[in-house]
Amino acid sequence: MPRTAIIQPDQSYSFADYFKLNFASQDILAYFGVILQRQSLQFPRYESTLDRLIDLKARIEESLPRLSLTSEIARREFLIAPVLTDVLHYTQATLNIEYPVAVSNQLKGSLDYLLQNDQTFLVVEAKNEDLERGFVQLAIEMIAIDQWIESDQPIIYGAISTGNIWQFGKFNRQTRLVTQDLNLFRVPADPDDLLRILVKILSN
């Protein structure tokens, strides 16, 4: 009996639809000719001074006890946005929010956050605080961006975030390999590591 196709070629899929698919991550990505691997990634860190780091941590720690994080809007505005605002300060990158992309019927939708200078970096907010399904959506968006942008950048980087927790991923455009980092970075516990990785990626 033939195996049922995971992705129906005659159907339209948004990026958010891949979050809802109840199939193994590697099987979803295989439809696009992409291999998934999971391993601990060792990212280089930005070594110079981050002059807003102490203030960022203090502001988040001050607001958290008085803040309900049950809504996605709250996590976006009070946890994700402050981190990305500081990344813009250090890197002079531009940030597009809810950026529309349409590559094909299977690769289209709005990117939560798209940071760009000489590099391109995606951030996806994990709906329902589900990192695993959120990473599938991130991987699909990196696959789409590979076809959308005109750039010699060999690796497309991205991160999935619940606001409190961040997880990195990368897509090798030549080998068609998506790597999911096994390490998790917590806010406000690990803002130093998180920011130094983000700034380094967007400073290269």
Side-chain angles (χ1 to χ4, degrees), residues 57-126:
K57 186 172 183 178
R59 280 187 287 117
I60 293 176
E61 286 181 339
E62 181 183 13
S63 63
L64 278 179
R66 303 175 180 86
L67 182 64
S68 171
L69 294 175
T70 55
S71 76
E72 293 173 2
I73 293 176
R75 291 194 294 271
R76 279 187 172 206
E77 292 188 1
F78 290 94
L79 291 175
I80 298 176
V83 171
L84 295 184
T85 300
D86 278 13
V87 171
L88 299 183
H89 166 71
Y90 297 123
T91 65
Q92 304 303 306
T94 60
L95 172 63
N96 285 288
I97 300 172
E98 298 295 335
Y99 181 78
V101 169
V103 174
S104 68
N105 258 354
Q106 283 78 43
L107 293 172
K108 61 185 178 62
S110 294
L111 309 176
D112 288 347
Y113 302 96
L114 174 65
L115 294 99
Q116 286 181 300
N117 46 25
D118 292 334
Q119 302 291 311
T120 297
F121 191 92
L122 298 172
V123 178
V124 173
E125 183 201 342

Side-chain angles (χ1 to χ4, degrees), residues 92-180:
Q92 304 303 306
T94 60
L95 172 63
N96 285 288
I97 300 172
E98 298 295 335
Y99 181 78
V101 169
V103 174
S104 68
N105 258 354
Q106 283 78 43
L107 293 172
K108 61 185 178 62
S110 294
L111 309 176
D112 288 347
Y113 302 96
L114 174 65
L115 294 99
Q116 286 181 300
N117 46 25
D118 292 334
Q119 302 291 311
T120 297
F121 191 92
L122 298 172
V123 178
V124 173
E125 183 201 342
K127 308 301 183 286
N128 303 323
E129 300 187 80
D130 189 331
L131 284 174
E132 196 59 37
R133 291 195 180 195
F135 190 86
V136 174
Q137 181 178 339
L138 172 64
I140 293 294
E141 292 185 10
M142 290 192 292
I143 293 167
I145 280 292
D146 168 55
Q147 300 178 50
W148 184 257
I149 62 172
E150 293 182 7
S151 166
D152 295 329
Q153 177 183 345
I155 305 291
I156 294 172
Y157 292 95
I160 180 75
S161 176
T162 65
N164 300 94
I165 301 171
W166 291 65
Q167 183 181 43
F168 286 96
K170 66 178 185 177
F171 176 50
N172 188 307
R173 301 173 76 182
Q174 182 174 2
T175 63
R176 307 289 292 170
L177 176 67
V178 165
T179 304
Q180 181 178 6

Side-chain angles (χ1 to χ4, degrees), residues 4-69:
T4 303
I6 289 177
I7 310 297
Q8 303 298 323
D10 58 340
Q11 288 188 21
S12 179
Y13 294 83
S14 71
F15 297 139
D17 288 332
Y18 291 97
F19 178 88
K20 304 170 189 173
L21 289 182
N22 231 358
F23 297 101
S25 305
Q26 61 267 26
D27 291 341
I28 296 172
L29 299 190
Y31 176 84
F32 297 98
V34 171
I35 297 169
L36 173 67
Q37 71 174 8
R38 297 179 176 93
Q39 69 179 52
S40 180
L41 295 174
Q42 300 302 315
F43 288 100
R45 266 71 164 170
Y46 180 74
E47 297 294 339
S48 298
T49 301
L50 297 176
D51 59 345
R52 296 188 180 188
L53 182 61
I54 294 174
D55 179 60
L56 172 67
K57 186 172 183 178
R59 280 187 287 117
I60 293 176
E61 286 181 339
E62 181 183 13
S63 63
L64 278 179
R66 303 175 180 86
L67 182 64
S68 171
L69 294 175

